[in-house]
Amino acid sequence: MNDLTKDNVWNGLDGQKWLFTSKNKTKAKVKIPLLDKALEILEKYDKHPMTEITQSLLPVITNVKVNLYLKEVADLCDIKKNLTFHMARHTFATTVTLSNGVPIETVSKLLGHTKIATTQIYARVLEDKLSQDMSELSRKLRNWKPNV
């Protein structure tokens, strides 16, 4: 994230802003469509003094410092869990994408995984999502008419 610059943001075939980068560990290419909230954050830091100096998309901060800030937030919110930046991947994969119906294949691609099995670690199926999916299937089956 610290290495991202304006050169990583491109217009995709759909006309929307995309982030083009590669994973540090595997060097696998990753293309991510940017959601409105992500674009708002990038706009917020566009002329930030730190991003002006470093030419990065976001102010550069160490993982250690981020985790210290998260500990402060957890303390203020009376959260007993040890929050870490890496937990954001799990939250994104489960709460933001999978729980909202994004297919696991898409989530796998967004996370830069080369194997679906790696993504399945994040794919704890939540009971409410399971209930919603089965209700939707039930509705479709009730309305289904065979082609005879």
Side-chain angles (χ1 to χ4, degrees), residues 80-139:
K80 303 298 180 215
K81 197 168 207 165
N82 182 30
L83 300 182
T84 65
F85 184 75
H86 184 74
M87 291 173 82
R89 286 177 66 80
H90 293 273
T91 302
F92 176 76
T94 56
T95 307
V96 177
T97 58
L98 294 170
S99 293
N100 285 298
V102 176
I104 194 166
E105 296 84 0
T106 301
V107 176
S108 183
K109 198 81 163 152
L110 289 171
L111 294 175
H113 294 159
T114 53
K115 298 176 185 167
I116 293 286
T118 308
T119 312
Q120 287 172 332
I121 295 165
Y122 297 89
R124 295 178 295 127
V125 177
L126 308 173
E127 283 185 31
D128 59 335
K129 178 64 177 138
L130 183 61
S131 175
Q132 289 172 10
D133 290 346
M134 293 309 288
S135 292
E136 179 63 16
L137 176 61
S138 180
R139 184 190 65 73

Side-chain angles (χ1 to χ4, degrees), residues 14-62:
D14 58 3
Q16 301 300 313
K17 296 283 186 197
W18 285 61
L19 192 64
F20 287 63
T21 188
S22 57
K23 301 281 291 171
N24 282 342
K25 192 161 63 172
T26 64
K27 302 296 180 222
K29 299 281 185 207
V30 182
K31 298 176 185 176
I32 305 167
L34 293 170
L35 299 173
D36 290 342
K37 190 50 99 174
L39 291 169
E40 284 177 34
I41 292 168
L42 293 181
E43 188 174 311
K44 175 181 179 178
Y45 291 108
D46 184 42
K47 300 295 182 199
H48 187 277
M50 186 64 109
T51 61
E52 292 284 310
I53 293 167
T54 62
Q55 295 297 299
S56 59
L57 283 177
L58 300 165
V60 176
I61 184 170
T62 67

